[in-house]
Amino acid sequence: MRKASIGTVLFAALVLMSFSAAPAQTTETVTVTGQHAMRVGSYKGIHWVYDRFDRLPESARKDLSLHFLGDILPDHAVPSEAHVVLHAKGGDIPLFVGQDRDMHFPRSDALLAENPPVLLTLPPDRKVQLELAIEVAPLPTPSFTKEQAGVWMGEINAAIRDFFGVILAFLAPDAHRLKVDVAPGARFEAVENGTARLLVDNQGAVSYTFILRPQDYQDGTVFRSDRPFSMIRVKVPTNEFFTLKRKNDAGFDRWPARTHHAEP
């Protein structure tokens, strides 16, 4: 088996198991006006992912934070339309709100003890896709160097070693790309030896995701935008997209990514 294939299986297995390995719960009937609410996971399953990330060594996460970004397929509507909720005893707690695609997951000892199910409400022809996103801390100015990018990717590689150990991590692929979300109306460029090269001229109304491979550029290269970045993520070295499905199914299923791939 190739090195990259082994690493992909190992890395993806952690997230898949975390949503499906929670203790079995008593089946409950939920009455919803209109569409049927499906159980797609549990509180403990999602909590494990955040908790495991928090227990990484400081050197593996000091510039990074964990997020789940939602999207409804095939129409790419905002995930709040799916009404993804924790069905807690005190009332449903929405995980996506308004136009925000970032999951807002409440962490508390009380919810951990209760372990409410995760429900969503969608017709069968629409699905909720989640992206496992490792975000770089917001920058004071919209620019960074090749060397800074190397530090961020090194932290992800350190996280892989912590998850799998040195021997298994040797089989896993290294992180070597960034996903740079260029803001609407912004120009993103690389400056090498004083010469600027345009990478993205985003004239659209939404952010544009540019896949950046920093090692393809000279040492000392500066990557800059004339507007703040919407987000910068380290691309995890595997398929980071999963689809919420009925809990009795696989829990997550892979789904094609909706990302503008613009390899330099």
Side-chain angles (χ1 to χ4, degrees):
M1 184 180 292
R2 294 181 303 167
K3 173 181 176 182
S5 298
I6 296 173
T8 296
V9 171
L10 290 173
F11 198 92
L14 275 175
V15 177
L16 288 168
M17 288 189 299
S18 70
F19 282 82
S20 60
Q25 298 183 13
T26 303
T27 302
E28 55 184 301
T29 302
V30 180
T31 303
V32 179
T33 302
Q35 298 162 354
H36 177 64
M38 297 186 299
R39 180 175 182 267
V40 294
S42 70
Y43 182 89
K44 284 185 178 179
I46 303 177
H47 184 278
W48 183 92
V49 182
Y50 287 98
D51 182 65
R52 186 63 183 84
F53 185 84
D54 288 346
R55 288 188 284 112
L56 290 173
E58 178 67 16
S59 60
R61 60 178 176 86
K62 67 184 183 68
D63 296 310
L64 308 174
S65 59
L66 174 69
H67 299 263
F68 283 101
L69 306 179
D71 192 16
I72 295 181
L73 301 178
D75 52 335
H76 302 295
V78 292
S80 59
E81 292 187 13
H83 306 292
V84 184
V85 301
L86 292 170
H87 189 55
K89 294 177 181 177
D92 288 348
I93 303 171
L95 297 184
F96 295 96
V97 180
Q99 300 298 305
D100 194 352
R101 294 186 181 273
D102 199 348
M103 177 188 288
H104 295 273
F105 184 75
R107 295 172 66 178
S108 73
D109 292 340
L111 285 172
L112 188 60
E114 180 185 339
N115 192 28
V118 179
L119 307 180
L120 67 78
T121 307
L122 271 183
D125 59 339
R126 302 176 80 204
K127 300 181 183 297
V128 176
Q129 174 186 267
L130 293 184
E131 175 188 352
L132 174 65
I134 308 297
E135 183 186 9
V136 174
L139 302 171
T141 59
S143 68
F144 58 92
T145 65
K146 173 184 175 179
E147 288 69 29
Q148 282 178 285
V151 170
W152 300 331
M153 292 184 291
E155 290 177 2
I156 285 294
N157 295 329
I160 292 173
R161 288 192 296 272
D162 184 80
F163 270 120
F164 301 124
V166 175
I167 295 177
L168 290 180
F170 177 76
L171 301 174
D174 289 338
H176 57 270
R177 286 180 171 85
L178 297 179
K179 302 173 79 170
V180 181
D181 290 349
V182 181
R187 291 169 60 88
F188 178 53
E189 57 189 13
V191 182
E192 296 180 283
N193 293 326
T195 301
R197 172 158 50 115
L198 182 65
L199 301 178
V200 175
D201 181 8
N202 185 8
Q203 299 183 15
V206 297
S207 297
Y208 183 96
T209 300
F210 182 80
I211 307 297
L212 176 68
R213 181 181 159 93
Q215 52 267 52
D216 290 342
Y217 297 82
Q218 299 178 16
D219 292 346
T221 297
V222 176
F223 302 98
R224 68 188 186 190
S225 172
D226 57 0
R227 297 190 182 188
F229 297 112
S230 299
M231 181 181 283
I232 298 176
R233 290 159 283 168
V234 178
K235 190 178 188 308
V236 297
T238 181
N239 183 355
E240 66 268 51
F241 293 93
F242 306 93
T243 300
L244 287 174
K245 296 181 65 177
R246 186 182 300 276
K247 189 64 171 67
N248 290 337
D249 297 332
F252 278 99
D253 191 12
R254 290 182 182 138
W255 198 267
R258 186 211 181 196
T259 302
H260 302 284
H261 286 79
E263 297 283 358

